[in-house]
Every structure is written in C-alpha cells, then in structure tokens.
C-alpha cells in the first residue's frame, strides 16, 4: 500500500505551490433559474489547464537539486506530461514522459511546447510499464502520478481549498483514473471533515475502480471511452486500500452524458472542458439534489482537441 499524505504534508505542499498553482475559484453550475446547489472547482484554470500541476510540481520541488538535475520523467495520457514539462522548465531540467501513441494531439504538442519530450508507445506498453514498475530502471527521477504520497499531498490542496471556500459542502465528486487525485483529496477531506461524502466518478467504458471495489481486490478492465484523462484500465495495489478507505460511493457515467455536460459547461458556464473534466459534473447531475446535498464537482482539466469540442457543440441531438 502506498504511504498516505498527512495534513502536515498537504500544508507543506500548499507552501511549495504558492505563486505557482492558481487557487482556483468555486462557481455555481449555471441554471436558467439562477440557482444551483452544484458547484464547480475550476482546475481547468491552472497554468497547464489541469489540476496535475499541483501534485507533479510539488513532487519535483521536493526533490533534492542533485536528483532533479538528472532529469525528471513520468507516464501520462497528456495532462501529467504537461505538468512535468512545465515543472522541468521552471527548474531548468530535462523532462520526458511515456505517452500513449493515440493521446490527443493537443496534449502531445502541449508537452513539447513546454520543453518536454513525449515518448509515444502503445497503451498496452504504457500500462505494462506501470504495472511492472518499469520506472525502477529509469536514470531520471521518476514522478509516479498515482502512488507517490508527495503527488497526493499536492492534489490534496484542492481539498483544503474546498473546505475553506464551501464549509457547508456535503458531497465532493472526483473523477478517477489512476487514483492520485481521489487519494489526495479524499485523505485530506476525511481527515478534517469525515462527514463529507466522497464520490468517485468513472466512465462506464473504463471502470476499474468500480470493478475492484466489487471484487474486493485490484482488478483490470477493458477501456473504451472519450475520457482519455481517466482511461486507466487497472487499479494498482498501492492505492487500492486508500481509495477503499476514503471513497463513499462510485458513480458511472456514459460517454453521451459526458458529451452533454461538455456542451452544457461550454454554452452555459462558458467553460472549455475535456471528457475527464466533465465527468464529475455529469455524475452530480444524474443524482437528485436531495440525495447528494450541496455538491462540489472537480473540473479537472480543459485539454480537448478543437475539432472534437466543435463536433460536440454543434451536435443538436445532445440537447
């Protein structure tokens, strides 16, 4: 099992991130009646367009200067790679990331634009590398996006901000891929407010956490979803126990409902979100208000190919 970050670790991360990560706003999901009990935590407004900057920068900053100088690396479907490259540029060190060859072109090019090197491999190779701990052979300092407690602590700063800005929150909806975000936010919130419900959200076409919780052990699944940011076909043992402890429920969302939510967020809230970024809001909208109470949804990122979002915005069948 992975080590869990403490509240002191999260506060230390908050200090490292000062002046780097944006303290993102919490805004209402716009309704035509002007009232909403669904609130949005806008992590798509981070400098790289994703929450990933919090955890990855925190981990890179925590390295010794000598270890950083060897270069930094990670694995990513896109947003972690961008966060790593941004952090590498900040510290003046080399960065590289294994990325699936079918990752969105916008994410691959964004990593390059920050000065990083994407290494494109098959998804099968990438997840085999993760499952087999291939990073142990890395000459670079490897930043694990899922099991590193320092990454989790950086992600946990989202939870601190939610509790400070929405003290009467009842439910927090968090998209789940590898589990680093849910582990960080969930651990933080449960330590300070154990009464707040933590709901993990997965796409119906890639629901490794749901299957793992049903089985009582880490499981692998086939993945087919537009939500590339959470398209992780396995739950690694190192985080399974953390997720089982901090998550109260899992909600599955269809790709069509994700598209509808991307469209709604764009047209009503004027927000650009990717598939994973819309997952939490789609889940909250699927549950009656009386069952979830005042809810905060993590809008995790906004890296979406222009042609794809254009097709969603012009699809009148989505309503």
């Amino acid at each position: 099992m992975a080590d869990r970050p403490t509240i002191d670790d999260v506060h230390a991360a908050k200090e490292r991130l000062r002046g780097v990560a944006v303290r993102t706003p919490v805004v209402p999901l716009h309704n035509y009646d002007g009232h909403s009990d669904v609130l949005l935590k806008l992590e798509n407004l981070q400098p790289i367009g994703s929450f990933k900057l919090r955890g990855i920068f925190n981990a890179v900053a925590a390295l010794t200067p000598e270890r950083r100088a060897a270069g930094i690396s990670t694995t990513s479907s896109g947003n972690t790679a961008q966060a790593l490259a941004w952090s590498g540029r900040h510290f003046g060190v080399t960065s590289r990331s294994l990325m699936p060859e079918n990752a969105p072109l916008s994410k691959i090019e964004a990593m390059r634009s920050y000065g990083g090197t994407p290494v494109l491999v098959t998804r099968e190779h990438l997840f085999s590398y993760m499952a087999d701990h291939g990073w142990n052979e890395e000459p670079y300092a490897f930043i694990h996006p899922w099991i590193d407690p320092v990454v989790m602590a950086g992600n946990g700063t989202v939870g601190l901000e939610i509790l400070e800005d929405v003290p009467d929150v009842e439910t927090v909806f968090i998209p789940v891929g590898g589990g680093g975000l849910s582990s960080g936010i969930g651990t933080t919130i449960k330590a300070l407010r154990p009464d707040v419900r933590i709901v993990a959200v997965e796409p119906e076409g890639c629901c490794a956490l749901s299957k793992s919780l049903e089985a009582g052990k880490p499981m692998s699944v086939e993945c087919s979803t537009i939500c590339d940011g959470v398209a992780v076909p396995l739950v690694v043992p190192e985080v399974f126990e953390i997720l089982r402890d901090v998550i109260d429920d899992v909600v599955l969302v269809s790709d069509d409902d994700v598209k509808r939510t991307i469209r709604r967020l764009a047209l009503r809230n004027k927000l650009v979100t990717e598939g994973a970024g819309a997952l939490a809001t789609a889940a909250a909208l699927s549950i009656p208000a009386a069952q979830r109470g005042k809810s905060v949804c993590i809008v995790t990122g906004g890296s979406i190919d222009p042609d794809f979002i254009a097709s969603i915005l012009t699809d009148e069948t989505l309503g």
Side-chain angles (χ1 to χ4, degrees):
M1 184 177 70
D3 292 334
R4 307 184 188 205
T6 66
I7 290 300
D8 286 344
D9 294 331
V10 179
H11 281 288
K14 180 180 177 181
E15 290 307 309
R16 289 194 191 101
L17 292 169
R18 194 178 299 278
V20 174
V22 174
R23 185 190 175 104
T24 54
V26 177
V27 303
L29 174 68
H30 290 338
N31 285 333
Y32 291 125
D33 63 7
H35 174 75
S36 178
D37 58 359
V38 175
L39 303 173
L40 311 174
K41 177 66 169 166
L42 301 183
E43 286 297 296
N44 58 321
L45 299 183
Q46 291 295 346
I48 63 159
S50 162
F51 79 93
K52 293 285 190 177
L53 185 63
R54 293 180 186 256
I56 298 300
F57 184 90
N58 188 49
V60 173
L63 294 170
T64 65
E66 294 77 17
R67 190 71 185 105
R68 270 200 307 269
I72 51 178
S73 71
T74 193
T75 59
S76 172
S77 64
N79 288 332
T80 300
Q82 292 178 67
L84 189 85
W86 194 99
S87 301
R89 186 180 67 181
H90 178 90
F91 286 104
V93 299
T94 302
S95 62
R96 67 188 285 273
S97 177
L98 292 187
M99 297 180 69
E101 57 194 4
N102 62 347
L105 183 61
S106 60
K107 294 184 176 182
I108 296 171
E109 292 304 320
M111 193 207 182
R112 288 197 179 106
S113 73
Y114 293 128
T117 300
V119 180
L120 302 182
V121 298
T122 65
R123 281 192 175 271
E124 291 75 18
H125 176 86
L126 188 150
F127 290 115
S128 173
Y129 174 92
M130 295 297 277
D132 297 337
H133 296 193
W135 63 85
N136 287 328
E137 306 302 319
E138 286 268 6
Y140 289 23
F142 185 78
I143 307 298
H144 200 301
W146 308 338
I147 70 172
D148 188 334
V150 187
V151 172
M152 292 182 199
N155 295 337
T157 60
V158 177
L160 284 183
E161 292 174 14
I162 289 172
L163 294 181
E164 290 168 359
D165 294 344
V166 192
D168 56 344
V169 62
E170 296 173 85
T171 306
V172 177
F173 289 85
I174 312 171
V176 176
L181 180 64
S182 295
S183 295
I185 296 177
T187 299
T188 301
I189 289 179
K190 288 298 186 180
L192 299 172
R193 284 280 308 280
D195 58 303
V196 175
R197 288 181 55 78
I198 303 295
V199 177
V201 187
E202 294 183 296
E204 289 179 348
C206 190
C207 51
L209 177 60
S210 176
K211 296 298 184 184
S212 297
L213 292 173
E214 288 175 6
K217 62 182 181 180
M219 299 289 289
S220 298
V221 298
E222 294 294 323
C223 270
S224 177
T225 177
I226 65 167
C227 303
D228 61 276
V230 294
V232 179
L234 74 163
V235 176
V236 295
E238 293 92 337
V239 297
F240 177 66
E241 294 299 329
I242 299 177
L243 295 174
R244 184 161 60 177
D245 285 351
V246 302
I247 289 169
D248 296 294
D249 198 6
V250 180
V251 174
L252 304 184
V253 178
S254 71
D255 277 1
D256 281 347
D257 280 345
V258 170
K259 290 179 181 179
R260 290 186 185 95
T261 305
I262 290 173
R263 193 170 192 271
R264 175 173 179 164
L265 290 171
L267 297 180
R268 297 196 195 178
N269 276 79
K270 314 307 178 189
L271 295 171
V272 173
T273 55
E274 60 188 280
L279 261 178
T281 308
L285 290 172
S286 73
I287 299 173
Q291 293 181 23
R292 55 174 168 72
K294 192 166 191 175
S295 302
V296 174
C297 304
I298 314 298
V299 179
T300 51
S303 296
I304 185 170
D305 283 346
D307 290 347
F308 187 37
I309 193 169
S311 70
I312 292 173
L313 294 180
T314 55
D315 187 349
E316 298 295 338
T317 66
L318 294 173

